Amino acid sequence: EITGRQFNWDVRYPGPDKELHTLDDIVRYDGNIHMPMGEDVLLVIKSQDVLHSFFLPNLRLKQDVIPGMEQAMWFHAKDTGRFDIVCAELCGWGHYKMKARLTLQTRADFDQWLAETYQAEQAMTTAKVGQ
């Protein structure tokens, strides 16, 4: 799930239970999005605040999003690589900063990245609770 907000793309991955919007979700705010290549991928894209346009120029994919609505975008990437993501809609004074990177990787590399990211988030949560 991708959420556009002034001026970032946030991403939510399902955790070990494979369900979105549960306590084990992995939520990233750093603009680095990882996806497996060679598989059908469904992105659910939404906007938190204003009109945004999720644009992957190298993959020729673009989806406009309106606050209060969810849009679906399917794709099937055939190669690994890193690609720019931009907002193709003038969304405010910080629009120029709304950049992200898509990393397409093999399923094994994606699963490893997801597991490591989940473990890191769990460790941070445990550390915050222990303070």
Side-chain angles (χ1 to χ4, degrees):
E1 179 181 80
I2 309 293
T3 302
R5 64 179 172 86
Q6 294 177 312
F7 296 97
N8 198 46
W9 295 109
D10 301 337
V11 62
R12 177 182 299 269
Y13 301 90
D17 70 0
K18 307 288 188 216
E19 297 289 326
L20 279 175
H21 299 285
T22 59
L23 294 176
D24 68 344
D25 285 359
I26 300 164
V27 181
R28 307 290 298 180
Y29 303 101
D30 61 5
N32 291 308
I33 299 170
H34 291 251
M35 296 289 162
M37 55 73 75
E39 300 178 21
D40 291 335
V41 173
L42 169 64
L43 297 180
V44 176
I45 307 170
K46 57 188 181 177
S47 172
Q48 178 178 315
D49 43 29
V50 298
L51 297 176
H52 293 287
S53 187
F54 186 82
F55 183 35
L56 285 159
N58 292 64
L59 299 178
R60 295 183 178 101
L61 297 170
K62 183 175 176 276
Q63 179 61 60
D64 296 340
V65 289
I66 299 168
M69 296 180 66
E70 289 185 350
Q71 298 292 330
M73 176 188 281
W74 289 92
F75 70 92
H76 185 107
K78 296 180 181 180
D79 296 312
T80 59
R82 292 181 50 119
F83 304 95
D84 290 328
I85 301 170
V86 295
C87 182
E89 183 72 37
L90 183 58
C91 58
W93 66 270
H95 169 72
Y96 70 95
K97 297 187 293 184
M98 196 160 174
K99 298 176 183 174
R101 296 284 284 180
L102 172 66
T103 300
L104 293 169
Q105 50 202 147
T106 64
R107 170 48 80 174
D109 289 344
F110 174 74
D111 288 344
Q112 180 180 350
W113 175 85
L114 201 59
E116 290 170 359
T117 303
Y118 178 75
Q119 290 172 355
E121 282 197 12
Q122 293 303 304
M124 283 180 28
T125 301
T126 302
K128 287 180 183 178
V129 171
Q131 291 180 353

